[in-house]
Amino acid sequence: MSAVSYKQENFIGIVTIERPEALNALNSQVLDEINSTFANINLKTTRVVLLTGSGTKSFVAGADISEMSTLNSTEGARFGNKGNEVFRKIETFPIPVIAVVNGFALGGGCELAMSCDFRVCSENAIFGQPEVGLGITPGFGGTQRLARLIGLGKAKEMIYTANTIKANEAFDIGLVNHVYPQETLMEEAMKLAQKIAKNAPFAVRACKKAINEGINTDMDRAIIIEEKLFGECFATEDQKVGMKAFLEKVKGVEYKDK
Ligand code: CO8
């Protein structure tokens, strides 16, 4: 039975992890299916992806503890590598991916959310990296992405203590961009996605690439990455259409990704 579903509404793709019996925990099958689902997204017809978990209790309650419990050191590293490859694919996916966190985002769940461009969550969301309480480190990028997102001191405290934090604290420390009531979470996420999808697709993708690649290098190199992508925008029809519309005071221009 499939553990990941995909649907498309206009330019928005919705990927849902569907393993409610284990609070959407990530086993090998789920990781493989997330991977193939993203690989099959049509980038000509999709401009934003929302990634969420089924139900109202959990986004993803971590990597699957049953599957991990019997792994030896080599197998553990291989499992970590499998998750890392999938998460890196999401992080570097050409179009924005928004994590819609509808409950627990623990361990691998928090790490999955952090591999997305940004996160929105419901009021009942709980975030944490509880791995040290299970005798392991975060293994799907948590030690790296959490520190980059919320700063070294806060990340170290969360990881060393295994403390979980509620939605409002996640908002206060910048781990999530918005907190919504559970009932309106998906509707609000869709509104954000639609707003992004209305903008020039090439330019949005170029921004993602520039931000992602630039953040990992020094400013001199980073600014050159931006310059190159900025220049490429002037070869698109969307740049002509967008600027002409502004000058002619035309509202509601439709971009075609040319
Ligand atoms: N793995 C497997 N099964 C899980 C997981 C999980 N991570 N989380 C929940 N489940 C299962 C439970 O075992 C339970 O199954 P069953 O009904 O068959 O007993 C079912 O989901 C429902 O869970 P609970 O009954 O526990 O529900 P509660 O509401 O009482 O509690 C919690 C919810 C607090 C979320 C609780 O389930 C929990 O603490 N879960 C584990 C959270 C956790 O520790 N996550 C981190 C896992 S480690 C990790 O993610 C490492 C990532 C990097 C891996 C690198 C590998 C090398």
Side-chain angles (χ1 to χ4, degrees):
M1 210 173 108
S2 183
V4 177
S5 71
Y6 181 76
K7 67 174 179 175
Q8 176 108 21
E9 288 182 25
N10 300 317
F11 291 118
I12 321 297
I14 304 169
V15 176
T16 307
I17 299 169
E18 295 193 333
R19 204 184 160 222
E21 70 282 6
L23 303 183
N24 303 320
L26 304 170
N27 60 13
S28 294
Q29 184 200 344
V30 177
L31 289 172
D32 285 339
E33 288 190 29
I34 295 173
N35 196 31
S36 57
T37 302
F38 272 87
N40 287 324
I41 290 175
N42 183 341
L43 292 170
K44 292 203 168 76
T45 57
T46 318
R47 296 184 182 179
V48 182
V49 175
L50 300 180
L51 174 61
T52 193
S54 64
T56 53
K57 184 173 173 183
S58 182
F59 170 68
V60 166
D64 190 284
I65 298 172
S66 317
E67 183 172 336
M68 285 189 295
S69 63
T70 56
L71 301 183
N72 65 29
S73 166
T74 312
E75 292 163 339
R78 201 179 301 137
F79 189 56
N81 177 261
K82 190 185 192 63
N84 277 330
E85 286 194 352
V86 177
F87 289 19
R88 192 73 183 124
K89 178 178 266 183
I90 294 170
E91 189 166 48
T92 59
F93 202 60
I95 58 177
V97 182
I98 305 171
V100 184
V101 179
N102 52 323
F104 292 111
L106 300 174
C110 188
E111 292 169 307
L112 177 62
M114 290 192 292
S115 71
C116 298
D117 287 276
F118 58 87
R119 291 139 293 285
V120 298
C121 76
S122 54
E123 287 163 343
N124 67 323
I126 306 260
F127 295 81
Q129 296 291 158
E131 285 90 343
V132 293
L134 294 163
I136 57 172
T137 67
F140 294 157
T143 57
Q144 304 310 308
R145 293 194 181 96
L146 190 60
R148 282 164 170 80
L149 277 170
I150 66 170
L152 275 182
K154 286 202 162 56
K156 285 180 173 175
E157 182 181 334
M158 262 181 85
I159 291 172
Y160 299 166
T161 60
N163 282 346
T164 56
I165 57 170
K166 293 183 177 162
N168 55 354
E169 194 179 344
F171 174 77
D172 289 343
I173 62 176
L175 186 55
V176 299
N177 289 12
H178 301 279
V179 182
Y180 300 115
Q182 176 80 252
E183 312 80 63
T184 58
L185 173 66
M186 192 41 93
E187 184 187 324
E188 296 292 347
M190 278 299 272
K191 277 190 214 159
L192 267 174
Q194 278 156 359
K195 191 146 198 206
I196 295 169
K198 278 205 175 92
N199 292 322
F202 181 91
V204 172
R205 287 185 213 180
C207 289
K208 175 165 180 172
K209 197 170 159 63
I211 294 168
N212 276 3
E213 291 182 10
I215 203 84
N216 291 320
T217 188
D218 62 84
M219 187 57 84
D220 288 327
R221 289 200 188 99
I223 219 71
I224 289 169
I225 296 171
E226 187 190 85
E227 269 172 31
K228 185 171 173 296
L229 289 159
F230 176 70
E232 286 175 16
C233 292
F234 288 83
T236 67
E237 187 66 20
D238 283 347
Q239 177 268 330
K240 316 273 175 269
V241 169
M243 292 195 177
K244 185 167 181 281
F246 173 82
L247 294 172
E248 293 174 358
K249 304 193 189 305
V250 176
K251 295 263 185 260
V253 56
E254 279 192 21
Y255 289 106
K256 301 259 169 32
D257 197 13
K258 283 184 194 155

